Amino acid sequence: MPKVPSSPMPAKAPADVPAGAGSPDTGPLPASYEAGLQELERLVTELESGQLPLDQLLGSYQRGAVLLAFCRDRLQAVEDQIKVLDAGSLKVWAGE
């Protein structure tokens, strides 16, 4: 059986993503929630198109999983901060 050469999967990261964060397999983490969400939406569109080669499909899926976890973590952090800010300071508004 002939051996099929494997090609390295290039990491597609937007220009506004800082280098140095994240793992080498999935690329750097986005600079912000909005950047992560934008990249995740782009990846989902590519995945749903059905036009990606198999190797790139796997890499895109892995990157999507990293981005999804990043976005969920950022949302949870903001939600936790809002809960702390609202604790004890929420009062029922009585209209004038």
Side-chain angles (χ1 to χ4, degrees):
M1 185 177 219
K3 189 173 185 180
V4 178
S6 63
S7 60
M9 294 182 298
K12 289 185 176 181
D16 60 341
V17 174
S23 72
D25 295 336
T26 57
L29 291 176
S32 67
Y33 170 80
E34 292 77 11
L37 187 59
Q38 183 178 27
E39 184 181 353
L40 184 58
E41 288 172 346
R42 181 187 55 78
L43 280 173
V44 168
T45 301
E46 287 179 4
L47 289 167
E48 288 177 341
S49 76
Q51 301 299 313
L52 293 176
L54 187 59
D55 287 343
Q56 192 175 353
L57 180 72
L58 179 59
S60 293
Y61 183 85
Q62 290 171 330
R63 177 67 178 165
V66 167
L67 290 169
L68 181 60
F70 170 81
C71 289
R72 283 181 174 166
D73 289 347
R74 295 296 286 254
L75 283 173
Q76 186 63 53
V78 169
E79 185 177 298
D80 292 346
Q81 288 176 2
I82 289 171
K83 286 178 183 177
V84 168
L85 292 172
D86 286 345
S89 64
L90 281 182
K91 297 179 174 101
V92 177
W93 181 72
E96 296 176 331

Coordinates of all heavy atoms in Angstrom, one line a residue:
M1 N 0.8 -1.2 0.0 CA 0.0 0.0 0.0 C 0.9 1.2 0.0 O 1.8 1.4 0.8 CB -0.9 0.0 1.2 CG -1.9 1.1 1.3 SD -2.9 0.8 2.8 CE -4.4 1.2 2.2
P2 N 0.7 2.2 -0.9 CA 1.5 3.4 -1.0 C 1.3 4.3 0.2 O 0.2 4.5 0.7 CB 1.2 4.1 -2.3 CG -0.2 3.5 -2.7 CD -0.3 2.2 -2.0
K3 N 2.4 4.9 0.6 CA 2.3 5.8 1.7 C 1.9 7.2 1.2 O 2.4 7.7 0.3 CB 3.6 5.9 2.4 CG 3.6 6.7 3.7 CD 4.9 6.6 4.4 CE 4.8 7.2 5.8 NZ 6.1 7.2 6.5
V4 N 0.8 7.8 1.8 CA 0.3 9.1 1.4 C 1.1 10.1 2.2 O 1.1 10.1 3.5 CB -1.2 9.2 1.7 CG1 -1.7 10.5 1.3 CG2 -1.9 8.1 1.0
P5 N 1.7 11.1 1.5 CA 2.4 12.1 2.3 C 1.4 13.0 3.0 O 0.4 13.3 2.4 CB 3.2 12.9 1.2 CG 2.5 12.6 -0.1 CD 1.8 11.2 0.1
S6 N 1.8 13.4 4.2 CA 0.9 14.4 4.9 C 1.5 15.8 4.7 O 2.7 16.0 4.6 CB 0.8 14.0 6.4 OG 2.1 14.1 6.9
S7 N 0.6 16.7 4.6 CA 1.0 18.1 4.5 C 0.7 18.8 5.8 O -0.3 18.5 6.4 CB 0.3 18.8 3.3 OG -1.1 18.7 3.6
P8 N 1.6 19.7 6.2 CA 1.3 20.4 7.5 C 0.1 21.3 7.3 O -0.2 21.9 6.2 CB 2.5 21.3 7.7 CG 3.2 21.3 6.4 CD 2.8 20.1 5.6
M9 N -0.7 21.4 8.4 CA -1.9 22.3 8.3 C -1.5 23.7 8.7 O -1.1 23.9 9.8 CB -3.0 21.7 9.3 CG -3.5 20.4 8.9 SD -4.8 19.8 10.0 CE -3.9 19.7 11.6
P10 N -1.7 24.6 7.8 CA -1.4 26.0 8.2 C -2.5 26.5 9.2 O -3.7 26.3 9.0 CB -1.5 26.8 6.9 CG -2.3 26.0 6.0 CD -2.2 24.5 6.5
A11 N -2.0 27.2 10.2 CA -3.0 27.8 11.1 C -3.4 29.2 10.6 O -2.6 30.0 10.2 CB -2.3 28.1 12.5
K12 N -4.7 29.3 10.4 CA -5.2 30.6 9.9 C -5.6 31.4 11.1 O -6.6 31.1 11.8 CB -6.5 30.3 9.0 CG -6.2 29.7 7.7 CD -7.5 29.6 6.9 CE -7.2 29.1 5.5 NZ -8.4 29.0 4.8
A13 N -4.9 32.5 11.3 CA -5.3 33.4 12.4 C -5.4 34.8 11.8 O -4.7 35.2 10.9 CB -4.1 33.4 13.4
P14 N -6.4 35.5 12.2 CA -6.6 36.9 11.7 C -5.4 37.8 12.1 O -4.7 37.5 13.1 CB -7.9 37.4 12.4 CG -8.3 36.3 13.3 CD -7.5 35.1 13.2
A15 N -5.2 38.8 11.4 CA -4.1 39.7 11.6 C -4.1 40.4 13.0 O -3.1 40.7 13.5 CB -4.0 40.8 10.5
D16 N -5.3 40.5 13.6 CA -5.4 41.2 14.9 C -5.2 40.3 16.0 O -5.5 40.6 17.2 CB -6.7 41.9 15.0 CG -7.9 41.0 14.8 OD1 -7.8 39.9 14.3 OD2 -9.0 41.4 15.3
V17 N -4.9 39.0 15.8 CA -4.7 38.1 16.9 C -3.2 38.1 17.3 O -2.3 38.0 16.5 CB -5.0 36.6 16.4 CG1 -4.7 35.6 17.5 CG2 -6.5 36.5 16.1
P18 N -3.0 38.3 18.6 CA -1.6 38.4 19.1 C -0.9 37.1 19.1 O -1.5 36.0 19.3 CB -1.7 38.9 20.5 CG -3.1 38.4 21.0 CD -3.9 38.5 19.7
A19 N 0.4 37.1 18.8 CA 1.2 35.8 18.8 C 1.6 35.5 20.2 O 1.6 36.3 21.1 CB 2.4 36.0 17.9
G20 N 1.8 34.2 20.3 CA 2.4 33.7 21.6 C 1.4 33.1 22.5 O 1.7 32.4 23.5
A21 N 0.1 33.2 22.3 CA -0.9 32.6 23.2 C -1.5 31.4 22.5 O -1.4 31.3 21.3 CB -2.1 33.6 23.4
G22 N -2.0 30.5 23.3 CA -2.6 29.3 22.7 C -1.5 28.2 22.4 O -0.4 28.4 22.7
S23 N -2.0 27.1 21.9 CA -1.0 26.0 21.6 C -0.6 26.1 20.2 O -1.2 26.7 19.3 CB -1.7 24.7 21.9 OG -2.7 24.4 20.9
P24 N 0.6 25.5 19.8 CA 1.1 25.6 18.5 C 0.2 24.8 17.5 O 0.1 25.2 16.3 CB 2.5 24.9 18.5 CG 2.6 24.3 19.9 CD 1.5 24.8 20.7
D25 N -0.6 23.9 17.9 CA -1.5 23.1 17.0 C -2.7 23.9 16.6 O -3.2 23.7 15.5 CB -2.0 21.8 17.7 CG -0.8 20.9 18.0 OD1 0.2 20.9 17.3 OD2 -1.0 20.0 18.9
T26 N -3.1 24.8 17.4 CA -4.4 25.5 17.2 C -4.2 27.0 17.0 O -5.1 27.7 16.7 CB -5.4 25.3 18.3 OG1 -4.8 25.7 19.5 CG2 -5.8 23.8 18.4
G27 N -3.0 27.5 17.1 CA -2.7 28.9 16.9 C -3.0 29.7 18.1 O -3.4 29.2 19.2
P28 N -2.7 31.0 18.0 CA -2.8 31.9 19.2 C -4.3 32.2 19.5 O -5.1 32.1 18.6 CB -2.1 33.2 18.7 CG -2.2 33.1 17.2 CD -2.2 31.7 16.9
L29 N -4.5 32.5 20.8 CA -5.9 32.9 21.2 C -6.2 34.3 20.7 O -5.3 35.1 20.5 CB -6.0 32.8 22.7 CG -5.9 31.4 23.3 CD1 -6.0 31.5 24.9 CD2 -7.0 30.6 22.8
P30 N -7.4 34.5 20.4 CA -7.8 35.9 20.0 C -7.5 36.9 21.0 O -7.5 36.7 22.2 CB -9.3 35.8 19.7 CG -9.6 34.3 19.8 CD -8.6 33.6 20.5
A31 N -7.4 38.2 20.6 CA -7.2 39.3 21.5 C -8.4 39.7 22.3 O -8.3 40.2 23.3 CB -6.7 40.5 20.7
S32 N -9.6 39.3 21.7 CA -10.9 39.7 22.4 C -11.9 38.7 22.1 O -11.8 37.9 21.2 CB -11.3 41.1 21.9 OG -11.7 41.0 20.5
Y33 N -13.0 38.8 22.8 CA -14.2 37.9 22.6 C -14.7 38.1 21.2 O -15.0 37.2 20.5 CB -15.3 38.2 23.6 CG -16.6 37.6 23.3 CD1 -16.8 36.3 23.6 CD2 -17.6 38.3 22.7 CE1 -18.0 35.6 23.3 CE2 -18.8 37.7 22.4 CZ -19.0 36.4 22.7 OH -20.2 35.8 22.4
E34 N -14.8 39.4 20.8 CA -15.3 39.7 19.4 C -14.5 39.1 18.3 O -15.0 38.6 17.3 CB -15.5 41.2 19.3 CG -16.5 41.9 20.1 CD -16.2 42.0 21.6 OE1 -15.0 41.9 22.0 OE2 -17.1 42.3 22.4
A35 N -13.2 39.2 18.5 CA -12.3 38.6 17.5 C -12.4 37.1 17.4 O -12.4 36.5 16.4 CB -10.8 39.0 17.8
G36 N -12.5 36.5 18.6 CA -12.7 35.0 18.7 C -14.0 34.6 18.0 O -14.1 33.6 17.3
L37 N -15.1 35.3 18.3 CA -16.4 35.0 17.7 C -16.4 35.2 16.2 O -16.9 34.3 15.5 CB -17.5 35.9 18.4 CG -18.9 35.6 18.0 CD1 -19.3 34.2 18.4 CD2 -19.9 36.6 18.7
Q38 N -15.7 36.2 15.7 CA -15.7 36.4 14.3 C -14.9 35.3 13.6 O -15.3 34.8 12.6 CB -15.0 37.8 14.0 CG -14.9 38.1 12.6 CD -14.2 39.5 12.4 OE1 -13.4 39.9 13.1 NE2 -14.6 40.2 11.3
E39 N -13.8 34.9 14.2 CA -13.0 33.8 13.6 C -13.8 32.5 13.7 O -13.9 31.7 12.7 CB -11.7 33.6 14.3 CG -10.8 32.5 13.7 CD -9.5 32.3 14.4 OE1 -9.1 33.1 15.3 OE2 -8.8 31.3 14.0
L40 N -14.5 32.3 14.8 CA -15.4 31.1 15.0 C -16.5 31.0 13.9 O -16.7 30.0 13.3 CB -15.9 31.0 16.4 CG -16.7 29.8 16.7 CD1 -15.9 28.5 16.6 CD2 -17.3 29.9 18.2
E41 N -17.1 32.2 13.7 CA -18.2 32.2 12.7 C -17.6 31.9 11.3 O -18.2 31.2 10.5 CB -18.8 33.6 12.7 CG -19.7 33.8 13.9 CD -20.3 35.2 14.0 OE1 -19.7 36.1 13.4 OE2 -21.2 35.4 14.8
R42 N -16.4 32.4 11.0 CA -15.8 32.2 9.7 C -15.5 30.7 9.5 O -15.7 30.1 8.5 CB -14.5 33.0 9.5 CG -13.8 32.8 8.2 CD -12.4 33.5 8.2 NE -11.5 33.1 9.2 CZ -10.8 32.0 9.3 NH1 -10.9 31.1 8.3 NH2 -10.0 31.7 10.3
L43 N -15.0 30.1 10.6 CA -14.6 28.6 10.6 C -15.9 27.8 10.4 O -15.9 26.8 9.6 CB -13.9 28.2 11.9 CG -12.5 28.5 12.0 CD1 -12.0 28.2 13.4 CD2 -11.7 27.7 10.9
V44 N -17.0 28.1 11.0 CA -18.2 27.4 10.9 C -18.7 27.5 9.5 O -19.1 26.4 8.9 CB -19.3 27.9 11.9 CG1 -20.7 27.4 11.6 CG2 -18.9 27.5 13.3
T45 N -18.6 28.6 8.9 CA -19.0 28.8 7.5 C -18.2 27.9 6.6 O -18.7 27.2 5.7 CB -18.9 30.3 7.0 OG1 -19.8 31.1 7.9 CG2 -19.3 30.5 5.6
E46 N -16.9 27.9 6.8 CA -16.0 27.0 6.0 C -16.3 25.6 6.2 O -16.3 24.8 5.2 CB -14.5 27.3 6.3 CG -14.0 28.6 5.8 CD -12.6 28.9 6.2 OE1 -11.9 27.9 6.9 OE2 -12.0 29.9 6.0
L47 N -16.5 25.2 7.4 CA -16.8 23.8 7.7 C -18.1 23.3 7.1 O -18.3 22.2 6.5 CB -16.9 23.5 9.2 CG -15.5 23.6 10.0 CD1 -15.7 23.6 11.5 CD2 -14.7 22.4 9.6
E48 N -19.1 24.2 7.1 CA -20.5 23.9 6.6 C -20.5 23.9 5.1 O -21.3 23.2 4.5 CB -21.5 24.9 7.1 CG -21.8 24.7 8.6 CD -22.8 25.7 9.1 OE1 -23.0 26.8 8.5 OE2 -23.4 25.4 10.1
S49 N -19.5 24.5 4.4 CA -19.4 24.6 3.0 C -19.1 23.2 2.4 O -19.5 22.9 1.3 CB -18.4 25.6 2.5 OG -17.1 25.0 2.7
G50 N -18.4 22.4 3.2 CA -18.1 21.0 2.7 C -17.0 21.0 1.6 O -16.7 20.1 1.0
Q51 N -16.2 22.2 1.5 CA -15.2 22.3 0.5 C -13.8 22.2 1.0 O -12.8 22.3 0.3 CB -15.4 23.7 -0.2 CG -16.7 23.9 -0.9 CD -17.0 22.8 -1.9 OE1 -16.2 22.6 -2.8 NE2 -18.2 22.2 -1.9
L52 N -13.6 21.9 2.3 CA -12.3 21.8 2.9 C -11.7 20.5 2.7 O -12.4 19.5 2.8 CB -12.3 22.1 4.4 CG -12.7 23.5 4.8 CD1 -12.8 23.6 6.4 CD2 -11.7 24.6 4.3
P53 N -10.4 20.4 2.4 CA -9.7 19.1 2.3 C -9.7 18.5 3.7 O -9.8 19.2 4.7 CB -8.3 19.4 1.9 CG -8.3 20.9 1.5 CD -9.5 21.5 2.1
L54 N -9.6 17.2 3.8 CA -9.8 16.4 5.0 C -8.8 16.9 6.1 O -9.2 17.1 7.3 CB -9.6 14.9 4.8 CG -9.8 14.0 6.0 CD1 -11.3 14.2 6.5 CD2 -9.6 12.6 5.6
D55 N -7.5 17.1 5.8 CA -6.6 17.6 6.8 C -6.9 18.9 7.3 O -6.8 19.2 8.5 CB -5.1 17.6 6.2 CG -4.5 16.2 6.0 OD1 -5.1 15.3 6.6 OD2 -3.5 16.1 5.3
Q56 N -7.3 19.8 6.5 CA -7.7 21.2 6.9 C -9.0 21.1 7.7 O -9.2 21.9 8.6 CB -7.9 22.1 5.7 CG -8.0 23.5 6.1 CD -8.0 24.5 4.9 OE1 -7.8 24.1 3.8 NE2 -8.2 25.7 5.2
L57 N -9.9 20.2 7.3 CA -11.2 20.1 8.1 C -10.9 19.7 9.5 O -11.5 20.3 10.4 CB -12.0 18.9 7.4 CG -13.4 18.6 8.0 CD1 -14.3 19.8 7.7 CD2 -13.9 17.4 7.5
L58 N -10.0 18.8 9.8 CA -9.7 18.4 11.1 C -9.0 19.6 11.9 O -9.4 19.9 13.0 CB -8.7 17.2 11.2 CG -8.3 16.7 12.5 CD1 -9.5 16.4 13.4 CD2 -7.3 15.6 12.4
G59 N -8.1 20.3 11.3 CA -7.5 21.4 11.9 C -8.5 22.6 12.2 O -8.4 23.2 13.3
S60 N -9.4 22.8 11.3 CA -10.4 23.8 11.5 C -11.3 23.4 12.6 O -11.7 24.3 13.4 CB -11.2 24.1 10.2 OG -10.4 24.6 9.2
Y61 N -11.7 22.2 12.7 CA -12.5 21.7 13.8 C -11.8 21.9 15.1 O -12.5 22.4 16.1 CB -12.9 20.2 13.6 CG -13.8 19.7 14.6 CD1 -15.2 19.9 14.5 CD2 -13.3 19.0 15.8 CE1 -16.1 19.4 15.5 CE2 -14.2 18.6 16.7 CZ -15.6 18.7 16.6 OH -16.4 18.3 17.6
Q62 N -10.6 21.5 15.2 CA -9.8 21.7 16.4 C -9.7 23.2 16.8 O -9.9 23.5 18.0 CB -8.4 21.1 16.3 CG -8.4 19.6 16.2 CD -7.1 19.0 15.9 OE1 -6.2 19.6 15.2 NE2 -6.8 17.8 16.3
R63 N -9.4 24.0 15.9 CA -9.4 25.5 16.1 C -10.7 26.0 16.6 O -10.8 26.8 17.5 CB -8.9 26.2 14.9 CG -8.9 27.7 15.0 CD -7.8 28.2 16.0 NE -7.8 29.6 16.0 CZ -7.2 30.3 16.9 NH1 -6.5 29.7 17.9 NH2 -7.2 31.6 16.9
G64 N -11.8 25.5 16.0 CA -13.1 25.9 16.4 C -13.4 25.5 17.8 O -14.0 26.3 18.6
A65 N -13.0 24.3 18.2 CA -13.2 23.9 19.6 C -12.4 24.8 20.6 O -13.0 25.1 21.7 CB -12.7 22.4 19.8
V66 N -11.2 25.2 20.2 CA -10.4 26.1 21.1 C -11.2 27.5 21.2 O -11.3 28.0 22.2 CB -9.0 26.3 20.5 CG1 -8.3 27.4 21.2 CG2 -8.2 25.0 20.7
L67 N -11.6 28.0 20.0 CA -12.3 29.3 20.0 C -13.6 29.2 20.8 O -13.9 30.2 21.5 CB -12.6 29.7 18.6 CG -11.3 30.1 17.8 CD1 -11.7 30.2 16.3 CD2 -10.7 31.3 18.3
L68 N -14.3 28.1 20.7 CA -15.6 28.0 21.4 C -15.3 28.0 22.9 O -16.0 28.7 23.7 CB -16.3 26.7 21.0 CG -17.6 26.4 21.7 CD1 -18.6 27.5 21.4 CD2 -18.2 25.1 21.3
A69 N -14.3 27.3 23.4 CA -14.0 27.3 24.8 C -13.5 28.7 25.2 O -13.9 29.2 26.3 CB -12.9 26.3 25.1
F70 N -12.7 29.4 24.4 CA -12.3 30.7 24.7 C -13.5 31.7 24.9 O -13.6 32.4 25.9 CB -11.4 31.2 23.6 CG -11.0 32.7 23.7 CD1 -10.0 33.1 24.6 CD2 -11.7 33.6 22.9 CE1 -9.7 34.5 24.7 CE2 -11.4 35.0 23.0 CZ -10.4 35.4 23.9
C71 N -14.4 31.6 23.9 CA -15.6 32.5 24.0 C -16.5 32.2 25.2 O -17.0 33.1 25.9 CB -16.4 32.4 22.7 SG -15.6 33.2 21.3
R72 N -16.7 30.9 25.5 CA -17.5 30.5 26.6 C -16.8 31.0 27.9 O -17.5 31.5 28.8 CB -17.7 29.0 26.7 CG -18.7 28.5 25.7 CD -18.8 27.0 25.8 NE -19.9 26.5 25.0 CZ -20.1 25.3 24.7 NH1 -19.3 24.3 25.2 NH2 -21.1 24.9 23.9
D73 N -15.5 30.9 28.0 CA -14.8 31.3 29.2 C -14.9 32.8 29.4 O -15.1 33.3 30.5 CB -13.3 30.9 29.1 CG -13.1 29.4 29.3 OD1 -14.0 28.7 29.8 OD2 -12.0 29.0 29.0
R74 N -14.8 33.6 28.3 CA -14.9 35.0 28.4 C -16.3 35.5 28.8 O -16.5 36.3 29.7 CB -14.5 35.7 27.1 CG -13.1 35.5 26.6 CD -12.1 36.2 27.5 NE -12.1 37.6 27.4 CZ -11.1 38.3 26.8 NH1 -10.1 37.7 26.3 NH2 -11.2 39.6 26.8
L75 N -17.3 34.8 28.3 CA -18.7 35.1 28.6 C -18.9 34.8 30.1 O -19.6 35.6 30.8 CB -19.7 34.4 27.8 CG -19.9 34.9 26.4 CD1 -20.8 33.9 25.5 CD2 -20.5 36.3 26.4
Q76 N -18.4 33.7 30.6 CA -18.6 33.3 32.0 C -17.9 34.2 32.9 O -18.5 34.6 33.9 CB -18.1 31.8 32.2 CG -18.3 31.3 33.6 CD -19.8 31.2 33.8 OE1 -20.5 30.5 33.1 NE2 -20.3 31.8 34.9
A77 N -16.7 34.7 32.5 CA -16.0 35.7 33.3 C -16.8 37.0 33.5 O -16.9 37.5 34.6 CB -14.6 35.9 32.7
V78 N -17.4 37.4 32.4 CA -18.2 38.7 32.4 C -19.4 38.4 33.2 O -19.8 39.3 34.1 CB -18.5 39.1 31.0 CG1 -19.6 40.2 31.0 CG2 -17.3 39.6 30.3
E79 N -20.1 37.3 33.0 CA -21.3 37.0 33.8 C -21.0 36.9 35.3 O -21.7 37.5 36.1 CB -21.9 35.6 33.4 CG -23.2 35.3 34.1 CD -23.7 34.0 33.5 OE1 -24.0 33.9 32.3 OE2 -23.9 33.0 34.4
D80 N -19.8 36.3 35.7 CA -19.4 36.3 37.1 C -19.2 37.7 37.6 O -19.6 38.0 38.8 CB -18.2 35.4 37.3 CG -18.4 34.0 37.0 OD1 -19.6 33.6 37.0 OD2 -17.5 33.2 36.8
Q81 N -18.6 38.6 36.8 CA -18.3 39.9 37.3 C -19.6 40.7 37.5 O -19.7 41.5 38.4 CB -17.4 40.7 36.3 CG -16.0 40.2 36.3 CD -15.2 40.9 35.2 OE1 -15.7 41.7 34.5 NE2 -13.9 40.5 35.1
I82 N -20.6 40.5 36.6 CA -21.9 41.1 36.7 C -22.6 40.7 38.0 O -23.2 41.5 38.7 CB -22.7 40.9 35.5 CG1 -22.2 41.7 34.3 CG2 -24.2 41.3 35.7 CD1 -22.8 41.3 33.0
K83 N -22.5 39.4 38.3 CA -23.1 38.9 39.5 C -22.5 39.5 40.8 O -23.2 39.9 41.7 CB -23.0 37.4 39.6 CG -23.9 36.6 38.7 CD -23.7 35.1 38.8 CE -24.5 34.4 37.8 NZ -24.2 32.9 37.8
V84 N -21.2 39.7 40.8 CA -20.5 40.3 41.9 C -21.0 41.8 42.0 O -21.3 42.3 43.1 CB -19.0 40.3 41.7 CG1 -18.3 41.2 42.7 CG2 -18.5 38.8 41.9
L85 N -21.0 42.5 40.9 CA -21.4 43.9 40.9 C -22.9 44.1 41.4 O -23.2 45.0 42.0 CB -21.2 44.5 39.5 CG -19.8 44.7 39.1 CD1 -19.7 45.2 37.6 CD2 -19.1 45.7 40.0
D86 N -23.7 43.1 40.9 CA -25.2 43.2 41.3 C -25.5 42.7 42.7 O -26.6 43.0 43.2 CB -26.0 42.4 40.2 CG -26.1 43.1 38.9 OD1 -25.7 44.3 38.8 OD2 -26.5 42.5 37.9
A87 N -24.6 42.0 43.3 CA -24.9 41.4 44.6 C -25.1 42.5 45.6 O -24.3 43.4 45.9 CB -23.8 40.5 45.0
G88 N -26.3 42.6 46.1 CA -26.6 43.6 47.1 C -26.9 45.0 46.6 O -27.4 45.8 47.3
S89 N -26.7 45.2 45.3 CA -26.9 46.6 44.9 C -28.2 46.7 44.0 O -28.6 47.8 43.6 CB -25.7 47.1 44.1 OG -25.5 46.3 42.9
L90 N -28.8 45.6 43.6 CA -30.0 45.6 42.8 C -31.2 45.9 43.7 O -31.4 45.3 44.7 CB -30.2 44.2 42.1 CG -29.4 44.0 40.9 CD1 -29.8 42.6 40.3 CD2 -29.6 45.0 39.8
K91 N -31.9 46.9 43.3 CA -33.1 47.3 44.1 C -34.3 47.4 43.2 O -34.1 47.7 42.0 CB -32.8 48.6 44.8 CG -31.7 48.6 45.8 CD -31.5 49.9 46.5 CE -30.5 49.7 47.5 NZ -29.2 50.1 47.3
V92 N -35.4 47.1 43.7 CA -36.6 47.2 42.8 C -36.8 48.7 42.6 O -36.8 49.5 43.5 CB -37.8 46.6 43.6 CG1 -39.1 46.8 42.7 CG2 -37.5 45.1 43.8
W93 N -37.0 49.0 41.3 CA -37.3 50.4 40.9 C -38.7 50.7 41.1 O -39.6 50.1 40.6 CB -36.9 50.6 39.5 CG -37.0 52.0 39.0 CD1 -36.3 53.1 39.4 CD2 -38.0 52.5 38.1 NE1 -36.7 54.2 38.7 CE2 -37.8 53.9 37.9 CE3 -39.1 51.9 37.4 CZ2 -38.6 54.7 37.1 CZ3 -39.9 52.7 36.6 CH2 -39.6 54.1 36.5
A94 N -39.0 51.8 41.8 CA -40.3 52.3 42.0 C -40.5 53.5 41.2 O -39.8 54.5 41.4 CB -40.6 52.6 43.5
G95 N -41.3 53.4 40.2 CA -41.6 54.5 39.3 C -42.0 55.7 40.0 O -42.7 55.7 41.0
E96 N -41.6 56.9 39.5 CA -42.0 58.2 40.1 C -43.4 58.6 39.8 O -44.0 58.4 38.8 CB -41.0 59.3 39.6 CG -39.6 59.0 40.1 CD -38.6 60.0 39.6 OE1 -38.8 60.6 38.5 OE2 -37.6 60.2 40.3

